[in-house]
Amino acid sequence: MVLSLPQLRDAENAHFACLTERELADRRREEGVRVISHRGHYWEQSGAPGFFQPVHLLARLTPAEATSPTPLAWGFRAALTPETAGAATGTVPVVRLRDLDSYDASHLSSNRRNKLRKCQKMVRIVQLTGPSVLLEQGYAVVRDALSRTQHKKIPTMEDYLKDVRRYFMSDHWCVLAGMIDGKLGGYLDGYVVDGVAYGFSAYYATWALPTNISTGLSFEFAQICRRLKTVHTLVGGLHAREATQLGQFKDDLGYIVDPVPIQWGMNPLAKAFIRWRRPHAYYRLTGLE
């Protein structure tokens, strides 16, 4: 199998567009996401149909702005400005890097530094600038990773191909991949909006885990964000308190849990059901028990 070399860019030369909230909303619409303009901000349908949050999750809204963007929504949430945090009804438990500006290997635990060095010897980390690697090898990696972690449903091939097309429709996605002897061992993706970088998804093949590919890709994505002088915050997802191994991994890399004040609302029946059947998801939605 021959990889298309022009579609691989060494990570130290990675670059991608840093968007405004409005530009991100336009990109989301192009990707087929339902986006609503409401009181000066852009909201997207996230997760189950009928739940909305700002396209830029950490955009800071006033309580007057942080209201349901449509009467048909069964739930919504939005982060509040620091000045209005006293009006918060919950939090969004984001996991963010403690200090992006000075982030380097010294911020890792000693054990994680050793794993990073091993990865750097065994894995070539590149930015994907075209779809060929993912079209040829990506679905097998995603299927393997999700079979192991079970943190979400394995997509159909059709849905996976839609995700691949989305990556390369415009210039704002950064897709970082780990190549091991020419074979895809894993990849992650992310984007930047208004100074905040969001690490979105990550998939690692089981056979590649001994190389510590997850450490290498996560560290290198942070370095790329650090080199983008417009970026001041890196968010690595939401706190999964039930996934203790993942929590330790993030802690070793220098991430902290930061409960950001939000205003939220939810249909009482949906609230009761989610709180009963999926308490960890309820915590990630609202910051509450």
Side-chain angles (χ1 to χ4, degrees):
M1 177 173 53
V2 178
L3 299 179
S4 178
L5 293 179
Q7 295 190 11
L8 304 181
R9 178 187 292 139
D10 286 338
E12 58 264 29
N13 298 317
H15 59 82
F16 53 101
C18 302
L19 305 182
T20 64
E21 183 182 332
R22 181 171 183 172
E23 288 170 338
L24 179 59
D26 290 341
R27 301 292 204 284
R28 285 282 197 257
R29 289 192 182 102
E30 292 171 1
E31 293 170 359
V33 176
R34 185 183 178 192
V35 176
I36 295 175
S37 177
H38 174 65
R39 297 189 179 181
H41 290 274
Y42 296 91
W43 300 63
E44 68 177 6
Q45 185 168 265
S46 177
F51 185 86
F52 287 84
Q53 62 187 24
V55 294
H56 174 14
L57 180 60
L58 295 190
R60 300 308 181 98
L61 281 62
T62 66
E65 295 168 334
T67 59
S68 180
T70 169
L72 300 179
W74 61 261
F76 72 93
R77 66 175 173 185
L80 296 177
T81 64
E83 297 79 14
T84 61
T89 55
T91 63
V92 55
V94 300
V95 178
R96 66 168 176 83
L97 207 56
R98 186 187 302 273
D99 185 5
L100 179 62
D101 287 344
S102 63
Y103 187 68
D104 58 23
S106 68
H107 288 67
L108 310 183
S109 69
S110 60
N111 180 52
R112 194 59 57 181
R113 281 196 299 273
N114 290 334
K115 292 182 176 181
L116 176 62
R117 284 192 287 267
K118 180 177 180 180
C119 175
Q120 290 171 335
K121 293 176 181 177
M122 302 180 69
V123 182
R124 180 190 175 198
I125 297 180
V126 296
Q127 181 187 19
L128 301 183
T129 59
S132 62
V133 173
L134 296 183
L135 293 177
E136 294 169 1
Q137 305 180 54
Y139 187 67
V141 171
V142 169
R143 187 176 55 206
D144 178 11
L146 293 180
S147 296
R148 183 181 69 252
T149 65
Q150 299 185 348
H151 77 274
K152 66 179 180 180
K153 184 179 178 181
I154 298 173
T156 64
M157 175 63 82
E158 181 181 2
D159 287 340
Y160 175 75
L161 293 178
K162 288 179 182 178
D163 282 343
V164 172
R165 286 193 292 270
R166 177 191 64 173
Y167 286 142
F168 305 105
M169 287 173 61
S170 62
D171 57 354
H172 74 284
W173 281 102
C174 177
V175 184
L176 209 59
M179 308 301 297
I180 304 169
D181 296 328
K183 186 176 180 181
L184 179 66
Y187 69 95
L188 55 75
D189 58 48
Y191 58 89
V192 173
V193 53
D194 288 339
V196 179
Y198 292 94
F200 196 70
S201 301
Y203 306 99
Y204 309 110
T206 302
W207 64 264
L209 293 179
T211 68
N212 297 298
I213 187 174
S214 57
T215 295
L217 282 173
S218 298
F219 180 81
E220 195 57 51
F221 182 68
Q223 293 307 302
I224 293 170
C225 294
R226 180 187 176 190
R227 291 193 290 269
L228 296 173
K229 299 303 183 182
T230 58
V231 180
H232 54 75
T233 302
L234 170 55
V235 174
L238 301 183
H239 182 213
R241 59 185 183 181
E242 71 278 21
T244 55
Q245 189 173 1
L246 176 61
Q248 185 62 57
F249 172 74
K250 295 287 187 180
D251 185 65
D252 287 349
L253 285 170
Y255 284 83
I256 60 172
V257 179
D258 185 8
V260 176
I262 62 169
Q263 191 158 278
W264 66 281
M266 195 177 293
N267 174 280
L269 292 178
K271 174 183 174 182
F273 180 79
I274 296 172
R275 192 176 184 184
W276 170 48
R277 293 300 301 270
R278 300 190 63 198
H280 296 304
Y282 182 76
Y283 161 73
R284 280 187 285 277
L285 285 171
T286 68
L288 304 176
E289 296 293 334

